Amino acid sequence: KSSASAMATSTYVPETDLEKKVLAVIADYRKNNGAEKKKLKPLAIFTKIQLGFPKFRKGFNSVRSLFDSSTKGKTMTVKEFEGALLKAGVKIEKKDAELVFEGLDVDKNKELSFKEFLVYIAIGHLSQTFSSFKEVEKSKEAFEAALKLFMAFDKSSIGVVSTSEMLVLLKGIGGGEDPKGELAKSRMSELDPNGDGYVTFIEFLHAFEGWVGVDDDEADAGEETEVLEVSLARPSISTEKKKLPMHKRKSSSVHFNK
C-alpha cells in the first residue's frame, strides 16, 4: 500500500457514534487475534470463506424471525427496533437506540431493512455489547468471517478502506479480466453506496450479506425468488427467476474470477 493511499484513508472521520464503535471493535479484534502481524490475502481468505456461504445464509436468516415478529411491515421503525432488542434481552437506552438506528440506516430512509438490522446483530456480537442469544449463536461464524475478510482488504489497518484502494485490490484479484479497472469500479455502488470515497465495515457487511444470498424480502416457499450469480471482478449480475422451495434455495455464488 502506498503512503499516499494510507494517508488518504487515515483522514477518514466517522460520521456516527456507531461507526466510531465499529472502528474500536475492529482495532480490538485485530489486536486480540494477532491479525496485525499477519499478511491477510483477500483472494485466499475469500476462497475459503465462500465454502461456508450456504451455512452463513442459514445462520443469517435465523435472525429473520426476530425481525419479522417485531415489525408490522417489511421495514423496521426506531420504536420497533427498540422492541426487537427487548425481545432478545438487549437493554438499551432510548437515546442510544436512536443513535444506533441512525448509524445502521445505510440508505437514510429512517427505516431499517432486514439486512440493516442484521448488521446491528453482527456488531453487537463482535463488540460483545449484549449477551448471546440463539440467533447470534447460529450466525456468529458468519459475522466473524465477514470481519476477517474486511480486515484482509484493510491493508492500512485503519478500520476503513478507501475506494481507490478497494479498486486496486479488486483489479488485482480480477487479473486480466479487467485491465482498466472499469468493471471493478461498478462494484463500488454496492460497497460505497453513499459515495463518500470510503468502504466502512457497516457498508461491507451489508454487501457481504447479499453475496451470501440474504435478501431484505424473503419470499415464502414456492414463490418466486432470485438466484444471483455475482462477480466481484465484473459487474454483470445474471438474475434468473425460479420457483424454488425454501429448502432448495441456494446462496448467491460470488467469485473474484469468472
Side-chain angles (χ1 to χ4, degrees), residues 63 66-67 69-70 80-91 117 120-121 130-136:
V63 181
L66 175 60
F67 179 87
S69 65
S70 303
E80 290 170 338
F81 175 63
E82 294 174 36
L85 298 185
L86 285 175
K87 284 184 181 180
V90 179
K91 296 181 180 180
F117 176 71
Y120 175 73
I121 301 300
F130 52 69
S131 300
S132 183
F133 48 95
K134 63 180 181 179
E135 291 84 359
V136 170

Side-chain angles (χ1 to χ4, degrees), residues 4 23 33 58 63 92 97-98 111 116 118 127 133 179 193 198 206 255:
L23 290 179
N33 290 274
K58 186 176 181 180
V63 181
I92 184 171
E98 291 173 351
E111 296 179 331
E116 289 170 334
L118 188 56
S127 63
F133 48 95
Y198 298 99
H206 195 269
H255 305 280

Side-chain angles (χ1 to χ4, degrees), residues 65-86:
S65 60
L66 175 60
F67 179 87
D68 289 344
S69 65
S70 303
T71 63
K72 295 180 180 179
K74 296 181 179 180
T75 56
M76 178 177 281
T77 65
V78 64
K79 186 175 181 179
E80 290 170 338
F81 175 63
E82 294 174 36
L85 298 185
L86 285 175

